[in-house]
Amino acid sequence: MQQRFLAACLALATTAALSGCGLLPGEEEGRETITVWLMKGSASSGFLEKFTEEFEREHTDLALDVQIQDWSGIGPKVSAALEAPDADAPDVIEVGNTQVAQYVDGGGLLDLTLESMRDFGMDDWLPGLADPGSYRGAQYGIPWYAANRVVIYDKQLFEEAGIKNPPTTQADWLRDTARLNTGSNQGIYLAGQDWYTLAGFVWEEGGELAEEKGGRWKGALDSDAALRGMDFYARLQALGQGPKAADEEDPPQAGVFAKGGVAQIISVPGTATLIEEQNPALKGRLGFFPIPGKSKNKPGAVFTGGSDLVIPQRTDQQRGAVKVVAALAGREWQTELARTMNYVPNKTTLAEVVADEEGVAAMAKGAAHGRATPGSKRWAAVEADNPIKRYMTDVLIGGDPATEARKASRRITELLDNSRS
Protein backbone atom coordinates (compact mmCIF):
# COMPACT_ATOMS: atom_id res chain seq x y z
CA MET A 1 0.00 0.00 0.00
CA GLN A 2 1.16 3.55 -0.63
CA GLN A 3 0.25 7.22 -0.24
CA ARG A 4 -0.91 9.75 -2.79
CA PHE A 5 1.55 11.18 -5.28
CA LEU A 6 3.68 14.02 -3.90
CA ALA A 7 5.38 16.58 -6.07
CA ALA A 8 8.86 15.24 -5.39
CA CYS A 9 7.83 11.77 -6.53
CA LEU A 10 5.83 12.68 -9.63
CA ALA A 11 9.04 12.99 -11.60
CA LEU A 12 9.66 9.28 -11.06
CA ALA A 13 6.72 8.59 -13.44
CA THR A 14 5.36 5.39 -11.86
CA THR A 15 3.31 4.68 -8.78
CA ALA A 16 5.63 1.79 -7.89
CA ALA A 17 8.47 4.30 -7.57
CA LEU A 18 6.82 5.88 -4.54
CA SER A 19 8.34 3.25 -2.28
CA GLY A 20 11.71 4.74 -3.14
CA CYS A 21 10.56 8.06 -1.73
CA GLY A 22 10.06 6.57 1.68
CA LEU A 23 6.27 6.63 1.51
CA LEU A 24 5.10 3.63 3.48
CA PRO A 25 1.57 2.33 4.07
CA GLY A 26 -0.45 4.41 6.51
CA GLU A 27 1.98 7.32 6.58
CA GLU A 28 -0.50 10.00 5.60
CA GLU A 29 -2.86 10.63 8.46
CA GLY A 30 -6.57 10.45 7.72
CA ARG A 31 -6.40 8.34 4.55
CA GLU A 32 -7.39 4.72 4.04
CA THR A 33 -5.17 2.88 1.58
CA ILE A 34 -6.73 0.86 -1.25
CA THR A 35 -4.41 -1.73 -2.73
CA VAL A 36 -5.02 -2.36 -6.43
CA TRP A 37 -3.49 -5.22 -8.43
CA LEU A 38 -3.31 -4.49 -12.15
CA MET A 39 -1.66 -6.64 -14.77
CA LYS A 40 1.53 -5.76 -16.59
CA GLY A 41 0.82 -4.06 -19.89
CA SER A 42 -2.85 -3.33 -19.19
CA ALA A 43 -2.29 0.39 -18.63
CA SER A 44 0.63 2.72 -19.21
CA SER A 45 2.54 4.30 -16.36
CA GLY A 46 1.27 7.69 -17.55
CA PHE A 47 -2.35 6.56 -17.29
CA LEU A 48 -1.81 5.11 -13.81
CA GLU A 49 -0.05 8.22 -12.61
CA LYS A 50 -2.82 10.47 -13.87
CA PHE A 51 -5.57 8.24 -12.49
CA THR A 52 -3.96 7.97 -9.06
CA GLU A 53 -3.38 11.71 -8.76
CA GLU A 54 -6.91 12.68 -9.81
CA PHE A 55 -8.63 9.92 -7.85
CA GLU A 56 -6.87 10.93 -4.65
CA ARG A 57 -7.66 14.58 -5.31
CA GLU A 58 -11.35 13.74 -5.56
CA HIS A 59 -11.34 11.26 -2.66
CA THR A 60 -9.40 12.99 0.08
CA ASP A 61 -9.97 10.13 2.52
CA LEU A 62 -8.43 7.48 0.23
CA ALA A 63 -4.92 6.67 -0.99
CA LEU A 64 -4.06 4.24 -3.77
CA ASP A 65 -1.35 1.60 -3.87
CA VAL A 66 -1.25 0.33 -7.45
CA GLN A 67 0.84 -2.83 -7.74
CA ILE A 68 1.69 -4.31 -11.14
CA GLN A 69 1.50 -8.10 -11.50
CA ASP A 70 2.79 -10.49 -14.17
CA TRP A 71 0.30 -12.66 -16.02
CA SER A 72 2.62 -15.63 -15.66
CA GLY A 73 1.64 -17.56 -12.53
CA ILE A 74 -1.06 -15.08 -11.57
CA GLY A 75 -3.77 -17.72 -10.96
CA PRO A 76 -2.32 -19.27 -7.79
CA LYS A 77 -1.28 -15.81 -6.57
CA VAL A 78 -4.82 -14.44 -6.88
CA SER A 79 -6.29 -17.56 -5.26
CA ALA A 80 -3.93 -17.16 -2.32
CA ALA A 81 -4.78 -13.46 -2.03
CA LEU A 82 -8.49 -14.23 -1.93
CA GLU A 83 -7.91 -16.47 1.09
CA ALA A 84 -5.59 -14.06 2.90
CA PRO A 85 -7.17 -12.81 6.15
CA ASP A 86 -4.85 -9.87 6.73
CA ALA A 87 -5.13 -6.25 5.67
CA ASP A 88 -2.17 -6.55 3.29
CA ALA A 89 -4.24 -8.43 0.71
CA PRO A 90 -5.37 -6.48 -2.38
CA ASP A 91 -8.71 -4.70 -2.35
CA VAL A 92 -9.22 -4.57 -6.14
CA ILE A 93 -7.81 -7.09 -8.62
CA GLU A 94 -7.72 -7.14 -12.41
CA VAL A 95 -8.40 -10.64 -13.74
CA GLY A 96 -8.86 -12.06 -17.22
CA ASN A 97 -12.51 -11.95 -18.22
CA THR A 98 -12.63 -15.74 -18.57
CA GLN A 99 -11.04 -16.31 -15.14
CA VAL A 100 -13.82 -14.91 -12.96
CA ALA A 101 -15.68 -18.21 -12.54
CA GLN A 102 -12.68 -19.99 -11.04
CA TYR A 103 -12.25 -17.28 -8.41
CA VAL A 104 -15.94 -17.09 -7.48
CA ASP A 105 -15.96 -20.74 -6.47
CA GLY A 106 -15.57 -20.96 -2.72
CA GLY A 107 -16.94 -17.47 -2.08
CA GLY A 108 -13.74 -15.57 -2.81
CA LEU A 109 -15.27 -12.56 -4.56
CA LEU A 110 -17.65 -9.80 -3.50
CA ASP A 111 -21.10 -9.86 -5.11
CA LEU A 112 -21.41 -6.55 -7.00
CA THR A 113 -24.84 -7.14 -8.54
CA LEU A 114 -26.52 -4.24 -6.73
CA GLU A 115 -23.78 -1.76 -7.64
CA SER A 116 -23.82 -3.00 -11.24
CA MET A 117 -27.56 -2.38 -11.57
CA ARG A 118 -27.68 0.86 -9.62
CA ASP A 119 -24.40 2.62 -10.41
CA PHE A 120 -22.30 0.94 -13.10
CA GLY A 121 -24.71 0.94 -16.07
CA MET A 122 -24.55 -2.78 -16.69
CA ASP A 123 -27.18 -2.73 -19.46
CA ASP A 124 -24.62 -1.29 -21.89
CA TRP A 125 -21.67 -3.54 -21.02
CA LEU A 126 -19.97 -5.59 -23.71
CA PRO A 127 -21.40 -9.11 -23.45
CA GLY A 128 -17.96 -10.70 -23.87
CA LEU A 129 -16.84 -9.03 -20.64
CA ALA A 130 -20.08 -8.93 -18.67
CA ASP A 131 -21.26 -12.50 -19.22
CA PRO A 132 -18.13 -14.27 -17.92
CA GLY A 133 -18.10 -11.83 -14.99
CA SER A 134 -21.48 -13.20 -13.94
CA TYR A 135 -21.82 -16.48 -12.10
CA ARG A 136 -25.13 -18.16 -11.27
CA GLY A 137 -27.06 -14.92 -11.66
CA ALA A 138 -24.76 -12.67 -9.63
CA GLN A 139 -22.26 -10.15 -11.01
CA TYR A 140 -18.75 -10.45 -9.60
CA GLY A 141 -16.56 -9.17 -12.44
CA ILE A 142 -16.93 -5.58 -13.61
CA PRO A 143 -15.89 -5.10 -17.27
CA TRP A 144 -12.75 -3.01 -17.69
CA TYR A 145 -11.46 -3.25 -21.25
CA ALA A 146 -11.76 -5.52 -24.28
CA ALA A 147 -9.87 -6.60 -27.38
CA ASN A 148 -10.88 -8.94 -30.17
CA ARG A 149 -9.89 -10.07 -33.62
CA VAL A 150 -10.62 -8.20 -36.84
CA VAL A 151 -9.56 -8.76 -40.44
CA ILE A 152 -6.34 -6.98 -41.38
CA TYR A 153 -6.10 -6.61 -45.14
CA ASP A 154 -3.79 -5.31 -47.85
CA LYS A 155 -5.67 -2.47 -49.54
CA GLN A 156 -3.45 -2.62 -52.62
CA LEU A 157 -4.19 -6.29 -53.24
CA PHE A 158 -7.92 -5.63 -52.80
CA GLU A 159 -7.72 -2.79 -55.31
CA GLU A 160 -5.79 -4.89 -57.81
CA ALA A 161 -8.49 -7.57 -57.52
CA GLY A 162 -11.20 -4.99 -58.22
CA ILE A 163 -12.66 -5.14 -54.72
CA LYS A 164 -13.76 -1.61 -53.80
CA ASN A 165 -15.17 -2.22 -50.33
CA PRO A 166 -14.45 -4.83 -47.64
CA PRO A 167 -17.04 -7.63 -47.41
CA THR A 168 -19.84 -7.38 -44.86
CA THR A 169 -21.29 -10.91 -45.04
CA GLN A 170 -19.73 -14.35 -44.88
CA ALA A 171 -20.91 -15.10 -48.42
CA ASP A 172 -19.24 -11.94 -49.77
CA TRP A 173 -16.12 -12.71 -47.74
CA LEU A 174 -15.74 -16.15 -49.29
CA ARG A 175 -16.34 -14.73 -52.77
CA ASP A 176 -13.80 -11.90 -52.35
CA THR A 177 -11.22 -14.16 -50.74
CA ALA A 178 -11.46 -16.62 -53.63
CA ARG A 179 -10.96 -13.70 -56.00
CA LEU A 180 -7.84 -12.64 -54.10
CA ASN A 181 -6.44 -16.18 -53.98
CA THR A 182 -4.77 -16.14 -57.40
CA GLY A 183 -1.24 -16.54 -58.77
CA SER A 184 1.34 -16.08 -56.05
CA ASN A 185 -1.12 -14.32 -53.72
CA GLN A 186 -2.95 -15.98 -50.82
CA GLY A 187 -6.55 -14.89 -50.41
CA ILE A 188 -6.13 -15.29 -46.65
CA TYR A 189 -3.51 -16.75 -44.37
CA LEU A 190 -5.45 -18.73 -41.78
CA ALA A 191 -3.69 -21.34 -39.68
CA GLY A 192 -5.56 -24.59 -39.19
CA GLN A 193 -5.69 -24.41 -35.40
CA ASP A 194 -6.85 -20.83 -34.83
CA TRP A 195 -9.56 -22.04 -32.48
CA TYR A 196 -10.57 -18.61 -31.16
CA THR A 197 -11.56 -17.68 -34.72
CA LEU A 198 -13.43 -20.98 -35.08
CA ALA A 199 -15.31 -20.22 -31.86
CA GLY A 200 -16.70 -17.06 -33.44
CA PHE A 201 -17.89 -18.98 -36.50
CA VAL A 202 -19.55 -21.58 -34.26
CA TRP A 203 -21.32 -18.90 -32.23
CA GLU A 204 -22.41 -17.10 -35.40
CA GLU A 205 -24.23 -20.29 -36.41
CA GLY A 206 -25.90 -20.54 -32.98
CA GLY A 207 -23.63 -23.30 -31.72
CA GLU A 208 -21.50 -23.64 -28.59
CA LEU A 209 -18.12 -25.08 -27.65
CA ALA A 210 -19.67 -26.57 -24.51
CA GLU A 211 -23.02 -26.35 -22.75
CA GLU A 212 -24.16 -26.68 -19.15
CA LYS A 213 -27.19 -28.86 -18.53
CA GLY A 214 -28.38 -29.90 -15.10
CA GLY A 215 -25.23 -28.56 -13.49
CA ARG A 216 -22.93 -30.60 -15.77
CA TRP A 217 -20.84 -29.32 -18.65
CA LYS A 218 -20.67 -31.21 -21.94
CA GLY A 219 -18.76 -30.62 -25.16
CA ALA A 220 -21.00 -29.36 -27.97
CA LEU A 221 -18.84 -29.30 -31.10
CA ASP A 222 -20.94 -32.09 -32.59
CA SER A 223 -24.15 -30.05 -32.86
CA ASP A 224 -25.41 -29.19 -36.35
CA ALA A 225 -24.76 -25.50 -35.71
CA ALA A 226 -21.19 -26.06 -34.50
CA LEU A 227 -20.49 -28.26 -37.53
CA ARG A 228 -21.69 -25.47 -39.82
CA GLY A 229 -19.18 -23.16 -38.13
CA MET A 230 -16.37 -25.66 -38.77
CA ASP A 231 -17.47 -26.03 -42.39
CA PHE A 232 -17.21 -22.28 -42.94
CA TYR A 233 -13.77 -22.27 -41.30
CA ALA A 234 -12.57 -25.06 -43.61
CA ARG A 235 -13.85 -23.29 -46.72
CA LEU A 236 -12.15 -20.04 -45.75
CA GLN A 237 -8.91 -21.71 -44.66
CA ALA A 238 -8.60 -23.46 -48.02
CA LEU A 239 -8.28 -20.07 -49.78
CA GLY A 240 -4.68 -19.68 -48.64
CA GLN A 241 -1.62 -21.64 -47.63
CA GLY A 242 -2.00 -21.65 -43.86
CA PRO A 243 -0.67 -24.81 -42.14
CA LYS A 244 -3.36 -27.31 -41.18
CA ALA A 245 -1.55 -28.65 -38.10
CA ALA A 246 -0.38 -25.42 -36.43
CA ASP A 247 -1.85 -22.30 -34.88
CA GLU A 248 -1.40 -18.64 -35.77
CA GLU A 249 1.86 -18.40 -33.81
CA ASP A 250 3.65 -21.24 -35.61
CA PRO A 251 4.94 -19.45 -37.60
CA PRO A 252 3.80 -16.03 -36.35
CA GLN A 253 1.28 -14.82 -38.89
CA ALA A 254 2.55 -11.23 -38.72
CA GLY A 255 5.82 -12.41 -40.21
CA VAL A 256 4.02 -14.34 -42.96
CA PHE A 257 1.96 -11.28 -43.87
CA ALA A 258 5.04 -9.05 -43.83
CA LYS A 259 6.67 -11.11 -46.58
CA GLY A 260 3.95 -9.93 -48.97
CA GLY A 261 1.47 -11.74 -51.13
CA VAL A 262 -1.07 -12.22 -48.32
CA ALA A 263 -4.35 -10.39 -48.74
CA GLN A 264 -5.81 -10.95 -45.24
CA ILE A 265 -5.19 -12.32 -41.78
CA ILE A 266 -7.43 -12.47 -38.72
CA SER A 267 -5.83 -10.85 -35.68
CA VAL A 268 -6.01 -7.97 -33.24
CA PRO A 269 -5.33 -4.55 -34.83
CA GLY A 270 -2.00 -4.18 -33.06
CA THR A 271 -0.59 -6.91 -35.30
CA ALA A 272 -0.53 -4.34 -38.12
CA THR A 273 2.23 -2.47 -36.29
CA LEU A 274 4.33 -5.64 -36.12
CA ILE A 275 3.79 -6.21 -39.83
CA GLU A 276 4.88 -2.69 -40.73
CA GLU A 277 7.93 -2.95 -38.52
CA GLN A 278 9.02 -6.05 -40.42
CA ASN A 279 8.13 -4.62 -43.82
CA PRO A 280 8.00 -0.79 -43.93
CA ALA A 281 6.91 -1.01 -47.59
CA LEU A 282 3.46 -2.04 -46.32
CA LYS A 283 2.93 1.18 -44.37
CA GLY A 284 -0.22 2.89 -45.57
CA ARG A 285 -1.48 -0.28 -47.29
CA LEU A 286 -3.09 -2.00 -44.31
CA GLY A 287 -6.76 -1.67 -43.49
CA PHE A 288 -9.20 -3.25 -41.04
CA PHE A 289 -12.76 -4.53 -41.09
CA PRO A 290 -14.89 -6.48 -38.61
CA ILE A 291 -15.13 -10.23 -39.13
CA PRO A 292 -18.23 -10.58 -41.31
CA GLY A 293 -21.33 -12.38 -40.11
CA LYS A 294 -24.14 -14.19 -41.85
CA SER A 295 -26.17 -10.99 -42.12
CA LYS A 296 -25.14 -7.63 -43.52
CA ASN A 297 -26.89 -5.96 -40.58
CA LYS A 298 -24.22 -6.83 -38.03
CA PRO A 299 -20.64 -8.17 -37.80
CA GLY A 300 -19.96 -11.77 -36.97
CA ALA A 301 -19.61 -13.12 -33.45
CA VAL A 302 -16.06 -13.00 -32.07
CA PHE A 303 -14.18 -14.13 -29.02
CA THR A 304 -13.70 -11.14 -26.72
CA GLY A 305 -10.59 -11.07 -24.60
CA GLY A 306 -9.85 -8.50 -21.94
CA SER A 307 -10.14 -7.92 -18.24
CA ASP A 308 -12.66 -7.54 -15.45
CA LEU A 309 -12.17 -5.89 -12.09
CA VAL A 310 -13.08 -7.88 -8.97
CA ILE A 311 -13.14 -7.16 -5.25
CA PRO A 312 -12.14 -9.88 -2.77
CA GLN A 313 -14.83 -10.88 -0.31
CA ARG A 314 -12.34 -10.52 2.55
CA THR A 315 -11.34 -6.92 1.82
CA ASP A 316 -11.38 -4.59 4.80
CA GLN A 317 -11.80 -1.61 2.45
CA GLN A 318 -15.02 -2.46 0.65
CA ARG A 319 -16.31 1.10 0.39
CA GLY A 320 -13.07 2.45 -1.05
CA ALA A 321 -12.63 -0.54 -3.35
CA VAL A 322 -16.06 0.02 -4.88
CA LYS A 323 -15.15 3.66 -5.52
CA VAL A 324 -11.97 2.62 -7.33
CA VAL A 325 -13.86 0.15 -9.52
CA ALA A 326 -16.57 2.73 -10.24
CA ALA A 327 -13.94 5.21 -11.39
CA LEU A 328 -11.93 2.80 -13.55
CA ALA A 329 -15.09 1.44 -15.16
CA GLY A 330 -16.73 4.84 -15.60
CA ARG A 331 -16.94 6.94 -18.76
CA GLU A 332 -14.09 9.36 -17.99
CA TRP A 333 -11.39 6.77 -17.34
CA GLN A 334 -12.75 4.31 -19.89
CA THR A 335 -12.31 7.01 -22.51
CA GLU A 336 -8.80 7.79 -21.29
CA LEU A 337 -7.79 4.12 -21.21
CA ALA A 338 -9.25 3.31 -24.63
CA ARG A 339 -7.50 6.24 -26.31
CA THR A 340 -4.22 5.63 -24.50
CA MET A 341 -4.02 1.86 -25.02
CA ASN A 342 -6.17 1.37 -28.17
CA TYR A 343 -8.61 -0.84 -26.30
CA VAL A 344 -12.33 -1.25 -26.77
CA PRO A 345 -14.17 0.49 -23.88
CA ASN A 346 -16.37 -1.62 -21.66
CA LYS A 347 -19.69 -0.31 -23.02
CA THR A 348 -21.22 -0.36 -26.47
CA THR A 349 -22.29 3.25 -25.89
CA LEU A 350 -18.62 4.30 -25.68
CA ALA A 351 -17.60 2.99 -29.12
CA GLU A 352 -17.65 6.59 -30.34
CA VAL A 353 -14.53 7.46 -28.35
CA VAL A 354 -12.38 5.23 -30.60
CA ALA A 355 -14.16 6.04 -33.87
CA ASP A 356 -11.13 7.90 -35.25
CA GLU A 357 -8.85 4.84 -34.96
CA GLU A 358 -9.66 2.54 -37.90
CA GLY A 359 -8.41 -0.67 -36.30
CA VAL A 360 -9.96 -0.03 -32.89
CA ALA A 361 -13.22 1.13 -34.47
CA ALA A 362 -13.45 -2.16 -36.39
CA MET A 363 -12.67 -4.02 -33.18
CA ALA A 364 -15.39 -2.14 -31.29
CA LYS A 365 -18.01 -3.08 -33.89
CA GLY A 366 -17.14 -6.73 -33.46
CA ALA A 367 -17.00 -6.49 -29.68
CA ALA A 368 -20.65 -5.47 -29.58
CA HIS A 369 -21.36 -9.07 -30.63
CA GLY A 370 -18.53 -10.67 -28.70
CA ARG A 371 -18.59 -13.78 -26.58
CA ALA A 372 -16.34 -15.45 -24.04
CA THR A 373 -15.37 -19.06 -23.60
CA PRO A 374 -17.75 -21.32 -21.61
CA GLY A 375 -18.18 -20.24 -18.00
CA SER A 376 -16.96 -23.47 -16.42
CA LYS A 377 -14.34 -23.06 -13.71
CA ARG A 378 -12.55 -25.97 -15.41
CA TRP A 379 -12.30 -24.39 -18.84
CA ALA A 380 -8.56 -23.75 -18.37
CA ALA A 381 -8.08 -27.54 -18.48
CA VAL A 382 -9.68 -27.61 -21.94
CA GLU A 383 -7.35 -24.92 -23.23
CA ALA A 384 -4.34 -26.74 -21.77
CA ASP A 385 -5.24 -30.07 -23.43
CA ASN A 386 -7.01 -28.39 -26.36
CA PRO A 387 -8.97 -31.09 -28.16
CA ILE A 388 -10.45 -28.28 -30.28
CA LYS A 389 -7.11 -27.78 -32.06
CA ARG A 390 -6.76 -31.49 -32.74
CA TYR A 391 -10.32 -31.62 -34.03
CA MET A 392 -9.69 -28.77 -36.45
CA THR A 393 -6.58 -30.37 -37.89
CA ASP A 394 -8.24 -33.77 -38.22
CA VAL A 395 -11.09 -32.22 -40.22
CA LEU A 396 -8.82 -30.12 -42.41
CA ILE A 397 -6.68 -33.11 -43.40
CA GLY A 398 -9.72 -35.05 -44.51
CA GLY A 399 -11.38 -36.56 -41.44
CA ASP A 400 -15.15 -36.86 -41.23
CA PRO A 401 -16.31 -33.68 -39.45
CA ALA A 402 -19.15 -35.32 -37.50
CA THR A 403 -16.96 -38.18 -36.29
CA GLU A 404 -14.11 -35.92 -35.27
CA ALA A 405 -16.52 -33.49 -33.59
CA ARG A 406 -17.97 -36.29 -31.45
CA LYS A 407 -14.46 -37.33 -30.38
CA ALA A 408 -13.53 -33.75 -29.46
CA SER A 409 -16.81 -33.19 -27.61
CA ARG A 410 -16.31 -36.34 -25.54
CA ARG A 411 -12.85 -35.13 -24.55
CA ILE A 412 -14.17 -31.68 -23.61
CA THR A 413 -16.84 -33.35 -21.47
CA GLU A 414 -14.18 -35.42 -19.68
CA LEU A 415 -12.11 -32.30 -18.96
CA LEU A 416 -15.10 -30.36 -17.63
CA ASP A 417 -16.58 -33.22 -15.59
CA ASN A 418 -17.21 -31.92 -12.06
CA SER A 419 -16.99 -35.43 -10.65
CA ARG A 420 -13.35 -35.76 -11.64
CA SER A 421 -10.70 -34.80 -9.14
Side-chain angles (χ1 to χ4, degrees):
M1 295 184 278
Q2 68 187 42
Q3 304 303 325
R4 63 182 302 182
F5 277 97
L6 299 180
C9 289
L10 278 172
L12 295 177
T14 65
T15 53
L18 290 179
S19 60
C21 296
L23 299 180
L24 301 176
E27 257 184 24
E28 188 171 348
E29 186 177 356
R31 283 184 180 265
E32 297 288 345
T33 301
I34 310 301
T35 302
V36 182
W37 281 10
L38 299 181
M39 302 309 300
K40 185 176 182 180
S42 290
S44 67
S45 59
F47 172 89
L48 296 177
E49 178 181 317
K50 185 176 181 181
F51 174 76
T52 300
E53 184 179 15
E54 294 193 20
F55 182 87
E56 291 180 344
R57 183 183 298 122
E58 294 174 6
H59 302 84
T60 56
D61 58 334
L62 299 174
L64 296 185
D65 174 14
V66 179
Q67 300 179 8
I68 305 303
Q69 309 294 322
D70 287 320
W71 282 108
S72 178
I74 192 60
K77 188 171 184 179
V78 170
S79 296
L82 295 179
E83 297 177 0
D86 54 40
D88 292 332
D91 304 300
V92 176
I93 306 174
E94 174 193 352
V95 300
N97 61 321
T98 62
Q99 297 174 336
V100 176
Q102 71 186 69
Y103 299 132
V104 173
D105 192 53
L109 300 182
L110 188 67
D111 183 346
L112 296 169
T113 306
L114 176 61
E115 290 83 358
S116 299
M117 296 172 60
R118 183 186 62 200
D119 306 321
F120 297 161
M122 66 184 299
D123 290 343
D124 298 323
W125 281 342
L126 296 178
L129 296 180
D131 292 349
S134 175
Y135 190 76
R136 294 180 178 174
Q139 194 72 39
Y140 296 92
I142 306 304
W144 193 29
Y145 68 83
N148 51 268
R149 288 159 177 76
V150 300
V151 182
I152 302 174
Y153 73 104
D154 187 327
K155 295 179 180 179
Q156 182 172 306
L157 293 183
F158 268 57
E159 183 178 348
E160 292 173 355
I163 302 171
K164 296 182 179 180
N165 299 303
T168 56
T169 68
Q170 287 186 342
D172 290 345
W173 194 17
L174 282 175
R175 181 202 63 209
D176 289 348
T177 303
R179 196 168 172 180
L180 291 157
N181 192 46
T182 60
S184 61
N185 293 335
Q186 299 185 56
I188 189 169
Y189 179 86
L190 179 59
Q193 295 183 347
D194 187 350
W195 73 276
Y196 282 122
T197 294
L198 171 65
F201 297 164
V202 169
W203 294 328
E204 182 67 11
E205 293 289 348
E208 299 289 346
L209 304 181
E211 293 181 304
E212 185 181 21
K213 294 181 179 180
R216 301 288 292 276
W217 283 92
K218 296 184 64 176
L221 290 173
D222 53 343
S223 72
D224 289 344
L227 286 168
R228 289 195 299 270
M230 183 65 224
D231 178 68
F232 180 79
Y233 188 100
R235 292 162 65 194
L236 187 66
Q237 200 270 341
L239 298 174
Q241 300 168 23
K244 292 179 171 57
D247 63 22
E248 64 275 21
E249 292 301 321
D250 186 20
Q253 61 179 347
V256 176
F257 196 112
K259 292 177 181 178
V262 174
Q264 308 168 84
I265 59 171
I266 299 171
S267 188
V268 293
T271 301
T273 300
L274 300 177
I275 293 169
E276 292 173 346
E277 288 174 352
Q278 295 177 62
N279 186 356
L282 289 174
K283 286 186 177 180
R285 285 176 51 173
L286 303 184
F288 312 85
F289 60 89
I291 292 175
K294 294 173 69 65
S295 167
K296 184 175 290 189
N297 298 328
K298 67 177 184 178
V302 292
F303 168 75
T304 301
S307 289
D308 283 9
L309 299 171
V310 300
I311 297 176
Q313 176 71 41
R314 294 172 181 259
T315 179
D316 60 351
Q317 298 291 345
Q318 180 175 325
R319 180 189 63 85
V322 170
K323 288 183 179 295
V324 171
V325 170
L328 286 171
R331 182 180 183 89
E332 176 184 357
W333 293 104
Q334 279 293 297
T335 300
E336 183 78 19
L337 185 67
R339 291 175 174 171
T340 299
M341 304 299 294
N342 285 334
Y343 291 145
V344 178
N346 64 0
K347 293 185 176 181
T348 57
T349 51
L350 293 177
E352 64 190 45
V353 306
V354 293
D356 293 337
E357 294 289 339
E358 183 184 359
V360 186
M363 192 163 58
K365 290 177 182 178
H369 310 286
R371 295 276 303 274
T373 48
S376 168
K377 63 182 180 180
R378 294 176 178 268
W379 184 255
V382 175
E383 295 196 18
D385 184 86
N386 220 316
I388 305 174
K389 285 187 173 184
R390 294 194 294 274
Y391 157 64
M392 296 171 74
T393 294
D394 288 341
V395 172
L396 293 175
I397 64 176
D400 176 64
T403 300
E404 300 303 334
R406 285 193 293 270
K407 286 165 56 178
S409 295
R410 284 197 296 269
R411 181 57 182 156
I412 291 172
T413 300
E414 291 173 359
L415 292 165
L416 298 181
D417 190 347
N418 290 332
S419 69
R420 297 170 67 90
S421 58

